[in-house]
């Protein structure tokens, strides 16, 4: 109460302990920050490889029909279409009819599968991460539109069962791809440094 009733009695009042904590760090805090900084390239490398395997596995399963998302005998090499089931089943969103037209088209199958393969290999190898981020973000954006999380109901009136109107795994994957490219995550446990030294890459930085 004295401070509020008579503020003029304490013209030099301040919190020296708080000032010291803002300008100096303890040895333990410094060590923790140093350790985190030293380990971050390896954390990003693990994230890069795991994300790459997500894309590469999708390509392999859709190509050979390992019996997971793609039934045996329904793989691409067996004459199946990697896009027909997904795009043909789109039931909401502004591009519903467009995706139905694209479903099963040869160009759509090739573009989708080459995208999965290229993004997966680029991430695992640690090269061309900027291209992978652009291609992957475009792919995730189209898949997000195809599933259309903002819809509460499908075109037939049934509940969409959407759990979030904006942020789903497509958005998360896109952000991860962009972050990996921005951080130059291909240098650790990858071929990023060797790739960057190639003459055609050093002349065209967008290939990094």
């Amino acid at each position: 109460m004295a401070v509020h009733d008579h503020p003029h009695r304490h013209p030099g009042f301040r919190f020296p302990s708080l000032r010291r904590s803002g300008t100096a760090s303890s040895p333990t805090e410094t060590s923790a920050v140093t350790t985190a900084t030293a380990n971050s390239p390896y954390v990003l490398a693990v994230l890069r490889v795991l994300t790459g395997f997500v894309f590469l596995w999708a390509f392999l399963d859709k190509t050979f029909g390992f019996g997971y998302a793609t039934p045996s005998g329904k793989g691409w090499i067996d004459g199946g279409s990697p896009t027909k089931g997904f795009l043909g089943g789109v039931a909401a969103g502004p591009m519903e009819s467009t995706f139905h037209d694209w479903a099963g088209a040869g160009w759509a199958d090739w573009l989708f599968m080459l995208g999965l393969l290229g993004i997966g290999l680029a991430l695992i190898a640690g090269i061309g991460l900027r291209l992978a981020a652009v291609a992957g973000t475009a792919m995730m954006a189209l898949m997000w539109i195809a599933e259309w999380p903002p819809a509460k109901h499908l075109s037939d009136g049934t509940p969409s069962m959407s759990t979030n109107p904006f942020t789903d795994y497509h958005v998360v994957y896109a952000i991860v791809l962009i972050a990996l490219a921005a951080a130059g995550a291909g240098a650790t446990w990858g071929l990023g440094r060797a790739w960057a030294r190639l003459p055609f890459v050093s002349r065209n930085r967008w290939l990094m």
Side-chain angles (χ1 to χ4, degrees), residues 87-88 90 92 95-103 142-143 145-146:
L87 294 182
V90 172
M95 294 182 63
E96 180 179 351
S97 60
T98 301
F99 285 133
H100 289 172
D101 292 338
W102 292 357
L142 287 171
M143 294 179 72
I145 295 172

Side-chain angles (χ1 to χ4, degrees), residues 27-175:
T28 302
E29 292 172 339
T30 302
S31 176
V33 171
T34 302
T35 301
T37 302
N39 289 336
S40 58
Y42 301 100
V43 173
L44 289 174
V46 171
L47 179 62
R48 189 197 80 234
V49 173
L50 290 177
T51 306
F53 188 67
V54 169
F55 284 87
L56 183 60
W57 175 259
F59 168 81
L60 294 174
D61 185 54
K62 292 179 184 300
T63 299
F64 300 105
F66 290 144
Y68 290 90
T70 305
S72 299
K74 298 292 185 179
W76 198 22
I77 62 171
D78 300 310
S81 170
T83 63
K84 187 174 183 179
F86 177 68
L87 294 182
V90 172
M95 294 182 63
E96 180 179 351
S97 60
T98 301
F99 285 133
H100 289 172
D101 292 338
W102 292 357
W107 66 267
D109 289 343
W110 276 96
L111 193 61
F112 178 57
M113 295 298 281
L114 289 177
L116 290 176
L117 178 62
I119 295 167
L121 291 179
L123 290 173
I124 292 174
I127 62 176
L129 296 186
R130 294 181 182 179
L131 281 176
V134 172
T137 299
M139 180 184 292
M140 292 300 103
L142 287 171
M143 294 179 72
W144 185 88
I145 295 172
E147 294 195 5
W148 200 243
K152 292 183 179 180
H153 297 87
L154 302 179
S155 55
D156 62 0
T158 60
S160 68
M161 306 301 292
S162 175
T163 58
N164 191 303
F166 175 71
T167 304
D168 69 348
Y169 66 98
H170 298 107
V171 176
V172 174
Y173 280 140
I175 296 299

